[in-house]
Amino acid sequence: MKCPPTSRAEFAQLAMMLEVTAYSKPGNVDRCHDYEDTRLEHFLASVIACRHTLDAVEGGKFGIGEGIYDAVVRTNCHSGGNTHFGAFILLLPLIAGRDIPGALRLIKETTVDDAVLFYRAFAETQVRVIETDGLDVNDPESIEQIRRDGMTLLDVMAYSAPKDMICREWVEGYTLTRRFADRLHDTGGGAGSISPLFIRLMSEEMDTFIAKKFNATIAEEAMAMAQEVQAGRRTVTSMDEECIRRGINPGSLADITIAGIYLALTEGWQWDQ
């Protein structure tokens, strides 16, 4: 007897679980390798710890800013550091809005208070930011600037979108999330399709987390490696080994993958076929 998810919160948890256990996702934590300070178990612990937040957002008890802050605080319950910050940014509007059009409507309704809570959530994480960004998440003056300028959370995302693909999803209407979900549908089902589609997306889009951690050149090298895999000139294993050796981890694409899986699940995609 099958027991499908009964809520959007459960679909979100399932999406996070399926992403982190998919193998292989070159450079990222998966079922076959960990990082020195962050293990598979840390990701799975976060999946469990965030359930209260997901339920509250689905039930309308939390707005988007409050939901992001609450999720980050709750998933700081272990020593593995930030695991799903970008995923929460993408998932919570989708959960509250039920679909992409609903999410975009709620995003347009975000407030200055949502923006302040987002920055406070940032302060609870170890997420990489570009040091030259004018709104420095490590500078309390940035929150004052947000208040002075009346910046909503959507305004903050639009400000950061040129250098951050997670923010661009809000601004551009979840285009990559939609692309990944559509491709999952096209495969006909099965969690085994997640890894190949992840690598395909990596071959098409430069991961901005890599660019922030290193620079744009390294991010472009990672994209080129994925293109070589797609063309059959390199194995996934060799790419994975090189990414792990060099510390190249496409974390933003992983977050978009989670959102894409979530969207596909809510639309009937069967992960266990």
Side-chain angles (χ1 to χ4, degrees):
M1 178 179 176
K2 287 190 175 183
C3 299
T6 58
S7 70
R8 296 191 297 279
E10 288 185 6
F11 279 125
Q13 287 183 296
L14 182 57
M16 289 187 281
M17 181 276 290
L18 289 172
E19 184 279 328
V20 77
T21 57
Y23 177 78
S24 166
K25 302 185 310 297
N28 285 340
V29 170
D30 56 34
R31 68 178 65 192
C32 293
H33 51 59
D34 302 317
Y35 300 148
E36 182 177 349
D37 299 322
T38 309
R39 305 189 304 275
L40 174 66
E41 293 88 347
H42 290 127
F43 280 83
L44 297 178
S46 293
V47 171
I48 295 169
C50 72
R51 179 56 187 269
H52 177 272
T53 307
L54 303 179
D55 284 335
V57 169
E58 182 172 358
K61 297 178 181 178
F62 284 170
I64 295 175
E66 187 176 5
I68 293 172
Y69 179 78
D70 190 76
V72 168
V73 170
R74 289 181 182 276
T75 54
N76 277 347
C77 59
H78 53 68
S79 62
N82 165 65
T83 54
H84 291 102
F85 187 76
F88 292 139
I89 294 171
L90 298 176
L91 284 174
L92 298 190
L94 290 171
I95 292 171
R98 295 180 175 269
D99 53 21
I100 290 178
L104 295 177
R105 174 179 57 80
L106 293 177
I107 285 169
K108 289 180 181 178
E109 296 173 358
T110 57
T111 66
V112 174
D113 287 340
D114 287 317
V116 170
L117 284 164
F118 172 76
Y119 264 74
R120 288 178 176 166
F122 239 131
E124 299 286 339
T125 74
Q126 297 178 0
V127 178
R128 291 185 182 274
V129 296
I130 299 174
E131 293 181 358
T132 56
D133 279 355
L135 293 174
D136 184 351
V137 298
N138 298 309
D139 182 1
E141 176 62 24
S142 290
I143 289 182
E144 294 307 314
Q145 181 181 341
I146 287 170
R147 290 193 186 280
R148 285 196 306 269
D149 295 346
M151 295 180 72
T152 68
L153 185 47
L154 177 56
D155 292 331
V156 171
M157 292 295 178
Y159 177 90
S160 302
K163 298 178 181 177
D164 191 301
M165 65 198 316
I166 301 298
C167 300
R168 282 202 297 271
E169 286 294 276
W170 273 36
V171 174
E172 298 180 356
Y174 282 86
T175 55
L176 298 184
T177 298
R178 181 73 268 172
R179 186 192 305 176
F180 199 93
D182 287 343
R183 288 173 176 175
L184 283 174
H185 288 305
D186 290 342
T187 65
S193 60
I194 293 173
S195 173
L197 291 180
F198 174 83
I199 296 169
R200 180 179 174 185
L201 188 62
M202 192 175 174
S203 74
E204 298 166 340
E205 305 291 336
M206 187 182 77
D207 189 282
T208 52
F209 181 84
I210 298 174
K212 292 176 185 179
K213 184 177 180 179
F214 297 100
N215 52 54
T217 299
I218 301 299
E220 289 169 356
E221 288 179 15
M223 186 166 61
M225 283 191 279
Q227 291 167 354
E228 291 175 359
V229 171
Q230 289 293 104
R233 298 192 299 272
R234 176 192 284 264
T235 65
V236 176
T237 299
S238 68
M239 177 183 175
D240 192 22
E241 290 173 349
E242 181 169 351
C243 286
I244 291 296
R245 177 178 59 81
R246 297 172 61 185
I248 297 173
N249 50 317
S252 292
L253 286 171
D255 293 327
I256 290 169
T257 296
I258 290 172
I261 295 169
Y262 167 82
L263 188 62
L265 287 168
T266 64
E267 295 169 341
W269 177 69
Q270 299 295 313
W271 66 272
D272 59 346
Q273 286 186 356

